[in-house]
Amino acid sequence: MNEQSNNSDPLEEFFRKKSQEYDIEYREEDWENMETRLDKADKFRRQRRQKWLAAAVIALLFAVLTYITYNQQLTINKLANQLDSQQQITTVPPSANSAPEKSDDIVSNDQPNNPKSEDASKINKPPAINEKEQENLHNKVALEDKQDTKEMGQLNLEKLVTNNFTDKNMELSTRFNEIASTIPTIKAVNRSTWAKAQEETSNQISATSLQPNPQFSRFSIGFLSGPDLSSVGTLSDFQTPGYKLGLSIEYKVTRNFAISVGVQRTKVQYQAKGDQYSPPPGYWSYGRVPDETIGRCILLDIPITIKYDFMHFNHSRLYASAGLSSYIMLDEDYQFNYQSYHPGLKKRWHQRTGTSHWLSNATLSVGYEIDITQELSLRATPFVKLPLKKVGWGNVHLYSLGSLFSINYNIK
């Protein structure tokens, strides 16, 4: 053993001993930094998918609304064209120039000619002939008399039919002349009166077809839900979508103008940078502000909204609305991330606060409503919420984007 030790390389022995003595120190900070970097990479991929998904949903919604609106407009135009054509037929007065002229052919048929009249006159004056010739002539005359009788019968029948037709024609001409005698009185009406009456009738038809039923319901109650995308600072960089679920009560002041109030349970999820998040002073450990804050909050959204129906179709309508929302924070949960973590830094804050922020956000939306029955209707309302003041424990400007789908019941 000693010989082997003496023959070994001293440098190799030195490195062998040092490698056995070396112990890697465990540092939790390094593992947390690696975890933070991996979380950021996953979050970036997730946010990119969410942006594309949100854009696809919004594009699909607007495409459906555009198709329904275009379809309804084609139906309205078709009905309007049919009403205009029917109105022109009923309002144009008859013209005196349309009176048919009496045909000369009918008059010429009143006196038919008899082609055998001259032959008959000749037969009445026979020349002097012998008995045999007289007998033959007598037989010939008798045969011709039969033919003449048959022809005269046909002529009498034709004359009877012609006279009957002539009498009917004269009767119709008399009645037509009586009607035509009243045409000058109709034509004496002022043309401006006709035009004015036609315009008023067209306006009434258009107003009737484009306006809702005058017997509308004053009150309606709606049950609504839909996705909610929230962010801090701008309308971008959205997190996982939240949701809205609630009800509303609407009062129609007129057929087109309405006021509504509601309450919606809302879950919002967002992220904020260090300079966008402002908790109470002195909260951060050692004055170290996190590089990123992820918020998950449950709140009550209480909107007060005015709505105006600006376009009507057959059993559907387009409307615009605007209003103010008040937030009541029920549950707030925030996670703080650092690029380099040190022991003692705050990593999370969670509390049921119950704080209220009155008239904190403005709401703008454009929607589409279609009637299912006289009592029930469906609505689709894309919306955007813009901050008027800061909300929550972190005092952030909260933006929201989404769409509400509701079913409304009209109270008779």
Side-chain angles (χ1 to χ4, degrees), residues 84-94 186 194-195 197-199 201-202:
D84 290 341
S85 61
Q86 292 178 1
Q87 183 181 0
Q88 290 177 2
I89 293 174
T90 56
T91 56
V92 174
I186 298 175
W194 280 97
Q198 185 177 3
E199 183 179 359
T201 305
S202 178

Side-chain angles (χ1 to χ4, degrees), residues 337-406:
N337 296 325
Y338 305 85
Q339 290 185 354
S340 59
Y341 179 78
H342 299 282
L345 296 178
K346 305 289 187 180
K347 297 199 65 175
R348 187 185 180 191
W349 189 92
H350 179 210
Q351 188 174 339
R352 297 181 179 272
T353 55
T355 57
S356 57
H357 307 273
W358 300 107
L359 306 179
S360 59
N361 285 68
T363 305
L364 301 175
S365 63
V366 176
Y368 177 76
E369 181 177 13
I370 183 170
D371 297 328
I372 303 176
T373 64
Q374 292 183 353
E375 292 81 16
L376 294 178
S377 65
L378 292 177
R379 292 181 184 177
T381 312
F383 68 87
V384 59
K385 289 181 176 290
L386 306 175
L388 300 179
K389 59 176 69 174
K390 294 182 177 181
V391 298
W393 178 76
N395 293 314
V396 295
H397 286 105
L398 186 62
Y399 291 80
S400 295
L401 180 70
S403 181
L404 291 177
F405 301 92
S406 64

Side-chain angles (χ1 to χ4, degrees), residues 311-354:
M311 187 177 293
H312 290 272
F313 307 102
N314 188 18
H315 302 297
S316 62
R317 63 206 60 87
L318 287 173
Y319 60 88
S321 62
L324 297 174
S325 290
S326 300
Y327 289 166
I328 298 179
M329 310 300 292
L330 300 180
D331 187 274
E332 300 182 63
D333 187 1
Y334 305 102
Q335 178 182 345
F336 311 122
N337 296 325
Y338 305 85
Q339 290 185 354
S340 59
Y341 179 78
H342 299 282
L345 296 178
K346 305 289 187 180
K347 297 199 65 175
R348 187 185 180 191
W349 189 92
H350 179 210
Q351 188 174 339
R352 297 181 179 272
T353 55

Side-chain angles (χ1 to χ4, degrees), residues 253-272:
V253 182
T254 64
R255 285 192 296 267
N256 296 327
F257 183 76
I259 300 176
S260 66
V261 62
V263 59
Q264 304 164 8
R265 178 183 172 88
T266 305
K267 180 180 180 180
V268 297
Q269 303 186 76
Y270 63 88
Q271 68 177 14

Side-chain angles (χ1 to χ4, degrees), residues 59-72 318 368:
L60 178 61
L61 177 62
F62 278 100
V64 171
L65 291 177
T66 303
Y67 172 76
I68 294 174
T69 303
Y70 176 73
N71 221 5
Q72 293 287 347
L318 287 173
Y368 177 76

Side-chain angles (χ1 to χ4, degrees), residues 206-222:
S206 300
T208 303
S209 61
L210 297 179
Q211 293 295 333
N213 191 338
Q215 301 297 331
F216 62 92
S217 301
R218 292 287 184 180
F219 286 94
S220 64
I221 183 170

